Amino acid sequence: MDLRWSSLRVAVVCSNNQNRSMEAHGLLSKRGFNVRSFGTGAHVRLPGPEPGKQNVYDFRTTYDEMFHDLLRKDENFYAQNGILHMLDRNRRIKLRPERFQDCEDEFDLIFTCKELVYDQVVEVLNSREQVTCQPVHVINVDIVDNHREATRGALIICEICQCIQHLSDMENDIDGMLQAFEKKTGKAFLHTVCFY
């Protein structure tokens, strides 16, 4: 574990704090980063057996409770579509999903996994009274919400974090670094700075 990386406070945010943010949370944590993950939705939504039949949970519901609920509903279906595997991973990382809107902690970097989530995070940060004037860089890495793309997105987020650690002047060099990542990955990143 590289102790330099543990000082950078990182958050990863998606809609439900289930797939994309948790995949990145797990990887960043294994690499020694100080990381937390969140969702921005009003409820946690997981795919159901047919379109329009989602499983909806409160953010206070633990991953273990979701796992056992889906196990009871249809073990084969939720095992085949990977939801049980995902929930099992999640419950090994933390107790339950968390809403970004309910968190008052400060971060150095916040990664979002979808433009709508980026807009929501920026709106939340800009609506709060500035107290410390500590900057936070908000970066959107669009990640399709499936298991394969969540893994790919987590690797990109981790590589960006590692590169940021090596910048001599993060405030002035981050835009150039993100442009290099856009060329490398073929993805466009949104980036802004907010203040606490």
Side-chain angles (χ1 to χ4, degrees), residues 151-178:
T151 300
R152 184 171 177 257
L155 291 168
I156 291 170
I157 288 171
C158 187
E159 192 175 348
I160 290 172
C161 286
Q162 290 169 333
C163 287
I164 285 173
Q165 284 295 301
H166 293 53
L167 294 177
S168 57
D169 183 356
M170 183 169 94
E171 301 305 320
N172 290 318
D173 297 342
I174 194 169
D175 283 328
M177 188 220 54
L178 288 173

Side-chain angles (χ1 to χ4, degrees), residues 12-16 20-21 38-41 100-101 110-124 138-140 142 190:
V12 187
V13 188
C14 67
S15 299
N16 295 297
R20 298 166 291 181
S21 62
F38 302 92
T40 58
F100 180 76
Q101 296 90 324
I110 299 173
F111 289 94
T112 60
C113 303
K114 183 178 181 178
E115 189 171 346
L116 173 65
V117 174
Y118 173 86
D119 292 341
Q120 291 169 327
V121 166
V122 169
E123 182 180 334
V124 167
V138 184
I139 301 168
N140 185 64
D142 264 327
L190 297 174

Side-chain angles (χ1 to χ4, degrees), residues 11-46:
V12 187
V13 188
C14 67
S15 299
N16 295 297
N17 198 197
Q18 290 289 339
N19 184 31
R20 298 166 291 181
S21 62
M22 287 300 288
E23 183 70 26
H25 184 154
L27 179 62
L28 290 169
S29 183
K30 285 179 187 169
R31 300 277 172 93
F33 285 95
N34 176 5
V35 61
R36 290 187 58 199
S37 60
F38 302 92
T40 58
H43 295 92
V44 173
R45 298 179 187 283
L46 293 173

Side-chain angles (χ1 to χ4, degrees), residues 14-15 20 30 35-37 42 44-45 53 57 59 64 75 84 90 93 103 106 108 119 125 144 154-155 172 189:
C14 67
S15 299
R20 298 166 291 181
K30 285 179 187 169
V35 61
R36 290 187 58 199
S37 60
V44 173
R45 298 179 187 283
K53 298 263 184 172
Y57 301 97
F59 268 88
D64 193 58
E75 181 176 356
L84 290 178
N90 294 354
I93 295 171
C103 178
E106 293 185 5
D108 301 301
D119 292 341
L125 292 169
V144 175
L155 291 168
N172 290 318
F189 302 114

Side-chain angles (χ1 to χ4, degrees), residues 45-50 53-55 70 77-78 81 83 86:
R45 298 179 187 283
L46 293 173
E50 51 190 77
K53 298 263 184 172
Q54 294 180 324
N55 294 284
L70 297 182
F77 175 77
Y78 293 108
N81 71 5
I83 299 295
M86 179 186 73

